[in-house]
Amino acid sequence: MSPLTTPATQPYFVGYDDYRSSLPMQKLRDLVQQDESARHQIERETEMLFRERLGVRFALDQLLGARGQARNPSLLRHMVAVTLYYLYVRVVNKNVPPIREKAYKEALAWCEAAVKGTIAVDLPVKLAPDTNLPQAPTHFTIISNGRKQQFDEW
């Protein structure tokens, strides 16, 4: 952990030590240039991105509130990949290494597959408040140019 952040006070789902398996710590320090506010901002934005993408099906308040060993390792790995990608984009001015770009695309594909149910993930599904059963998929219709289109969020 960084000297200022411990597992108990870690402000975001992804913490400083979580980057160790993906990037040497010296490289991370070089990326944030001793200013952790950029990293914290991107970690916050990554959480918002995952809430938007996974929140239609999964109980993310419960998931993203976890710290330390209680976190879902698959979710953590993909969030680290997205955070590192955006660190490179913002700090190194879009000079993103191919491995970071590949990991970023895999993370987004994982999110899409998880929501569609084409892969099995160990994430808690949202429950309907009235029945305490998994929420039914949300269907919606768009009428544009006189044509009706059906969409299924899942």
Side-chain angles (χ1 to χ4, degrees):
M1 295 250 111
S2 86
L4 302 174
T5 308
T6 64
T9 62
Q10 178 179 316
Y12 308 106
F13 185 80
V14 175
Y16 190 77
D17 280 347
D18 297 322
Y19 300 99
R20 286 187 191 278
S21 63
S22 300
L23 191 73
M25 289 295 95
Q26 183 58 47
K27 185 67 174 175
L28 179 62
R29 283 190 288 276
D30 292 346
L31 272 175
V32 297
Q33 301 169 358
Q34 306 304 323
D35 177 15
E36 288 197 14
S37 64
R39 180 177 60 87
H40 288 302
Q41 176 64 30
I42 292 169
E43 288 169 353
R44 187 170 39 254
E45 291 172 9
T46 299
E47 281 194 16
M48 289 188 297
L49 173 75
F50 275 74
R51 282 182 191 281
E52 291 167 0
R53 291 185 176 255
L54 295 174
V56 296
R57 182 171 185 189
F58 301 105
L60 289 189
D61 288 339
Q62 174 185 345
L63 280 169
L64 295 177
R67 298 293 181 264
Q69 297 297 326
R71 297 172 296 169
N72 179 288
S74 189
L75 179 62
L76 178 62
R77 183 179 75 245
H78 292 299
M79 288 183 73
V80 165
V82 170
T83 303
L84 285 174
Y85 174 82
Y86 283 116
L87 272 171
Y88 272 98
V89 167
R90 290 196 191 153
V91 177
V92 189
N93 297 323
K94 300 187 186 257
N95 189 14
V96 180
I99 192 167
R100 295 287 141 237
E101 190 161 350
K102 180 181 180 214
Y104 169 76
K105 289 178 180 178
E106 286 174 358
L108 296 184
W110 178 84
C111 286
E112 184 177 335
V115 168
K116 288 182 177 179
T118 57
I119 61 171
V121 294
D122 184 23
L123 302 176
V125 177
K126 277 186 177 178
L127 300 177
D130 53 341
T131 63
N132 220 21
L133 296 172
Q135 279 186 336
T138 304
H139 300 279
F140 60 96
T141 303
I142 295 178
I143 299 176
S144 174
N145 298 331
R147 295 173 53 190
K148 183 176 177 181
Q149 298 176 342
Q150 293 281 79
F151 291 90
D152 182 353
E153 277 190 13
W154 293 8

